[in-house]
Amino acid sequence: MSITIAVGSTNPAKTSAAKTICERAFPGCTMAAVEVPSGVPEQPIGPDQTSTGARNRARAALAAVPGARMSVGFEGGVDEEGNLINCVAVVEAGGRENLTWGVRFPLPPAVVARVLRGEELSRVMDEVTGRNESKKHQGAVGILTNGLFTRAEMWQGPLACALMPFLHPELYPAPVPG
């Protein structure tokens, strides 16, 4: 039986990661990418805004795709110390949710200063590196590692880990509503 998985983004780096991992986890699944609001600032600062954005995107994607069994929300942020952080939320139609975190790495000080003053990371990275729409391709991680680790690859690990309770529900009892 094929399942539909909604993805709360149309960004190619995020949809590519979702397709790679979800097709391995659920062979024959159908992916439906939809642009949904995060409900947080364009550039989330700190873990609270970043995780809220991921959850909001997953919940909105599930609601936006009729028949979807589960959904994925991705959100990248910057913490107060100047590190890039990234969060993945998976939501199931039955109500189960899981949240995981990916890599955390320091951004260049000049970039951090601008982001913490309110600028969006990808626009700053594009400006300082002379690139265009880097968030849809390598992202900051790909630029700063010279392509050793791309933005799509960065999302794959936390998504795989976010799926653990859905792949092994017998090991992760669903929380009791309360």
Side-chain angles (χ1 to χ4, degrees):
M1 175 174 108
S2 178
I3 65 167
T4 298
I5 301 172
V7 180
S9 178
T10 57
N11 180 312
K14 295 176 180 181
T15 58
S16 154
K19 181 175 171 46
T20 297
I21 296 301
C22 291
E23 286 182 349
R24 288 174 59 197
F26 308 101
C29 69
T30 301
M31 305 299 296
V34 292
E35 196 59 45
V36 294
S38 68
V40 298
E42 183 179 19
Q43 180 57 69
I45 302 296
D48 289 343
Q49 288 184 2
T50 306
S51 62
T52 296
R55 278 192 181 98
N56 288 348
R57 288 183 191 277
R59 291 171 181 163
L62 186 65
V65 177
R69 185 173 130 198
M70 68 175 39
S71 61
V72 178
F74 299 97
E75 193 68 52
V78 175
D79 69 17
E80 294 81 357
E81 291 81 41
N83 297 293
L84 183 136
I85 56 176
N86 55 91
C87 186
V88 177
V90 175
V91 175
E92 194 173 43
R96 178 183 287 237
E97 297 187 11
N98 195 34
L99 187 75
T100 57
W101 292 91
V103 299
R104 176 180 181 257
F105 62 88
L107 293 165
V111 171
V112 171
R114 291 177 60 181
V115 170
L116 293 179
R117 284 195 308 264
E119 293 184 62
E120 199 265 335
L121 174 62
S122 69
R123 282 197 280 284
V124 175
M125 288 299 296
D126 284 351
E127 186 179 312
V128 301
T129 63
R131 295 172 191 259
N132 189 29
E133 295 198 6
S134 60
K135 73 178 183 178
K136 294 184 178 178
H137 306 289
Q138 284 193 322
V141 68
I143 293 168
L144 296 171
T145 64
N146 286 339
L148 295 173
F149 191 52
T150 67
R151 190 165 194 234
E153 291 166 337
M154 177 187 77
W155 290 116
Q156 290 178 19
L159 174 54
C161 292
L163 291 174
M164 290 175 183
F166 306 96
L167 297 170
H168 294 281
E170 74 283 3
L171 300 175
Y172 295 88
V176 177

